[in-house]
Amino acid sequence: MVTSESVPFSKSGGLADVVGALSRVLVRQGHTVAIVMPLYGSVDQSTFSSALKVTCTMLGHSETVEVRKAVVDGVDYLGLAHPWYTDRKGIYGDDSFSPYADNCPRFALMCKAAVEIARQRDVDIIHCHDWTAGLVPMLAKEAGLRCASVMTVHNLAYMGTFPRYDALLACLHGSGDMLDGFGLQTKVNFLKTGLMTADSITTVSPTYAKEIQGAEQGCGLDWLLKRRADRLEGVINGIDTDEWGSTKDSFFSEHFSADDLSGKAALKERIQRQFGLAPRPDVPLFAMISRLAEQKGFGPLLDGQPCALETVLSTLDCQFIIIGTGDERYVSKLRDVASRHDNISVNIIFSQAVSHQVEGGADFFLMPSKYEPCGLNQMYSLRYGTLPVVHRTGGLADTVRDMDGEDGDGFLFENAYSDEIVAAVRRACAFYADKQALDAARRRAMAQDFSWNKSALEYARIYANTIGGKQA
């Protein structure tokens, strides 16, 4: 595995969870797995020991990278120690809005070091995660490595584009596969490079694999993904079922199961009180735990007068708890709406404990995302019998079954428009009144298996097919 982040050592988002969890399960299934990642200044290196050194060529000089090794749950973590990583606390920048100016050579060095490590370990396959690892398939081919490569797109919107001058400084001599744009606007594109040169391509849900072959979500690379459609496959991410589970969640004591939902009712009452809402069991409680961003659907939810959220709060007997941080425009609007309605609690925080408690105690979970490559919160919600209300896109479409069927466990709407969000919430509120149907849907939701076991088997199959195809 080649990645810019992985739990338990570094994390800025879901990528870190995916790489760490998938690797652990692959080891349990009998594979030997190593994760190559930078050792940032924020990483606790007390469990790492020096393993080897690799030298990578940059423009006019060489950079020596010390590789330090730690073993966690049977996975070899091969940390790259170099001042570009160890002298800085951040992964991509000092904060979410200010990427480091030298990210092109920083992650080019990571890719080059990973290829050198692969050469020394004689690996069968290199699994490259997102744009930061996008140069690896090309570099591995240039180096004559026999191993096969898989490129996984976690979010196509993040490609890693840089001026050609930065690529020159990183001593990248690749062909036009690396380049994007025309004339003076031509840039090196890390992710495009990986998509062009990897032996296989995966993304994080079957529906997203189809969506990115179209102009609307293809981010300008739909032509390439259509051309390589025979190498492209979607595999739903799993979730950590040890961390997310209603019967043993470490962040609350009101545990419950599909056979006994009394703990869920008790948890709902507690979080209603905790977040300043009236403790009413007779009204549905909706939750949103999200980055406050356009992609997550906060535009159609909050734009307009009155906005969709205010329409819901004014016309339906329901409650909302919103947890998250992000765009100040949405923060301001949410606070404004909350100041006029006593059936909503807005909390501009990031808290793992609160996320677990609200996921567990809410009745419904609203995800109006404009696009969602996979999504995790809808799967967490289903584990707790909290029925998702979601836009039919990407991984949301692949994991939530609409209540119009006998196996339904959620509510889907076709377009991320304000009126469709309101209609879906209204539909969920009406469903809440039928307690027998509600409990049956909760039991169906909680019976779903979103563990990494199935997804890891899918990846093992892809690895085997990729290796076989390369050998052929």
Side-chain angles (χ1 to χ4, degrees):
M1 305 283 180
V2 185
T3 180
S4 51
E5 55 185 274
S6 178
V7 296
F9 297 106
S10 55
K11 177 179 175 177
S12 72
L15 169 63
D17 295 314
V18 169
V19 175
L22 173 59
S23 299
R24 290 195 304 272
V25 175
L26 285 169
V27 166
R28 290 203 295 266
Q29 292 178 356
H31 303 277
T32 302
V33 182
I35 297 175
V36 177
M37 62 176 198
L39 284 180
Y40 307 104
S42 56
V43 174
D44 179 3
Q45 296 189 34
S46 60
T47 59
F48 286 82
S49 58
S50 183
L52 66 144
K53 291 184 179 181
V54 296
T55 300
C56 304
T57 302
M58 307 299 276
L59 182 64
H61 67 284
S62 295
E63 294 290 343
T64 299
V65 179
E66 182 184 358
V67 182
R68 298 174 184 170
K69 178 180 174 181
V71 181
V72 180
D73 295 329
V75 179
D76 288 349
Y77 286 82
L78 304 178
L80 306 178
H82 184 277
W84 289 350
Y85 315 124
T86 53
D87 288 359
R88 306 179 198 179
K89 297 288 187 183
I91 297 177
Y92 310 105
D94 287 328
D95 55 49
S96 301
F97 307 101
S98 307
Y100 293 127
D102 59 348
N103 272 346
C104 179
R106 285 179 79 231
F107 290 111
L109 181 64
M110 180 190 83
C111 293
K112 291 186 175 191
V115 170
E116 287 302 310
I117 294 168
R119 186 206 305 275
Q120 296 190 33
R121 290 175 70 97
D122 193 27
V123 303
D124 296 308
I125 197 147
I126 307 180
H127 189 164
C128 312
H129 293 272
D130 256 355
W131 72 265
T132 52
L135 301 181
V136 170
M138 179 191 74
L139 295 172
K141 284 180 167 59
E142 289 180 349
L145 268 61
R146 294 177 297 174
C147 59
S149 60
V150 173
M151 183 80 229
T152 293
V153 179
H154 294 264
N155 189 333
L156 188 64
Y158 299 94
M159 296 188 191
T161 57
F162 301 95
R164 296 177 74 176
Y165 178 71
D166 287 353
L168 177 64
L169 293 177
C171 200
L172 299 173
H173 304 298
S175 67
D177 290 347
M178 293 176 53
L179 303 179
D180 201 12
F182 301 96
L184 295 175
Q185 302 303 314
T186 301
K187 293 186 176 184
V188 62
N189 185 321
F190 275 48
L191 185 57
K192 180 195 171 192
T193 305
L195 297 176
M196 290 283 286
T197 55
D199 297 306
S200 293
I201 303 167
T202 71
T203 191
V204 291
S205 72
T207 295
Y208 191 59
K210 297 174 184 175
E211 290 173 340
I212 59 178
Q213 295 179 56
E216 185 176 352
Q217 294 197 41
C219 300
L221 295 182
D222 48 294
W223 62 272
L224 169 56
L225 292 158
K226 279 188 286 193
R227 196 175 85 187
R228 304 210 71 198
D230 61 327
R231 302 294 184 98
L232 171 62
E233 188 168 346
V235 179
I236 284 284
N237 286 336
I239 61 173
D240 187 339
T241 53
D242 290 329
E243 178 183 356
W244 296 92
S246 62
T247 60
K248 54 185 177 181
D249 195 301
S250 62
F251 291 102
F252 58 80
S253 59
E254 299 94 336
H255 294 143
F256 56 94
S257 68
D259 297 323
D260 181 2
L261 292 164
S262 58
K264 185 174 180 67
L267 180 58
K268 175 181 176 178
E269 181 180 350
R270 176 162 74 83
I271 63 171
Q272 283 173 319
R273 295 182 186 277
Q274 180 177 336
F275 290 98
L277 298 174
R280 294 179 58 191
D282 59 311
V283 300
L285 174 61
F286 288 81
M288 294 185 75
I289 303 170
S290 175
R291 181 165 45 90
L292 307 180
E294 178 70 21
Q295 184 224 320
K296 296 300 182 179
F298 282 90
L301 185 69
L302 296 176
D303 290 343
Q305 291 292 340
C307 66
L309 179 59
E310 197 148 17
T311 297
V312 164
L313 295 170
S314 305
T315 63
L316 299 174
D317 196 11
C318 65
Q319 296 176 336
F320 267 76
I321 295 177
I322 298 181
I323 308 290
T325 59
D327 191 322
E328 186 57 40
R329 176 166 68 99
Y330 298 131
V331 171
S332 177
K333 185 61 180 285
L334 284 170
R335 284 176 168 158
D336 178 56
V337 170
S339 70
R340 296 193 301 275
H341 298 273
D342 60 6
N343 53 340
I344 182 172
S345 173
V346 171
N347 307 271
I348 309 305
I349 59 172
F350 176 82
S351 167
Q352 190 176 14
V354 166
S355 296
H356 281 249
Q357 292 160 14
V358 172
E359 288 272 10
D363 298 302
F364 300 102
F365 194 95
L366 178 60
M367 289 183 74
S369 307
K370 293 181 68 175
Y371 70 93
E372 196 67 65
C374 178
L376 296 176
N377 279 104
Q378 82 279 11
M379 292 188 277
Y380 298 154
S381 298
L382 289 163
R383 288 276 292 169
Y384 295 96
T386 301
L387 307 184
V389 181
V390 301
H391 176 206
R392 193 189 297 271
T393 186
L396 304 181
D398 292 325
T399 52
V400 180
R401 301 168 297 189
D402 194 83
M403 210 62 72
D404 61 5
E406 292 183 358
D407 63 347
D409 51 25
F411 302 84
L412 291 99
F413 49 96
E414 297 300 325
N415 301 288
Y417 299 156
S418 298
D419 58 340
E420 293 201 27
I421 294 171
V422 173
V425 172
R426 181 176 288 116
R427 189 174 162 220
C429 288
F431 185 80
Y432 183 78
D434 186 339
K435 292 298 186 276
Q436 185 174 354
L438 176 67
D439 285 351
R442 284 172 168 168
R443 287 191 289 270
R444 289 193 297 272
M446 296 172 77
Q448 290 249 52
D449 179 11
F450 292 116
S451 70
W452 267 105
N453 295 326
K454 181 180 178 182
S455 300
L457 289 172
E458 287 290 293
Y459 274 111
R461 174 185 57 79
I462 291 169
Y463 298 154
N465 290 343
T466 305
I467 293 166
K470 189 174 179 68
Q471 290 173 345

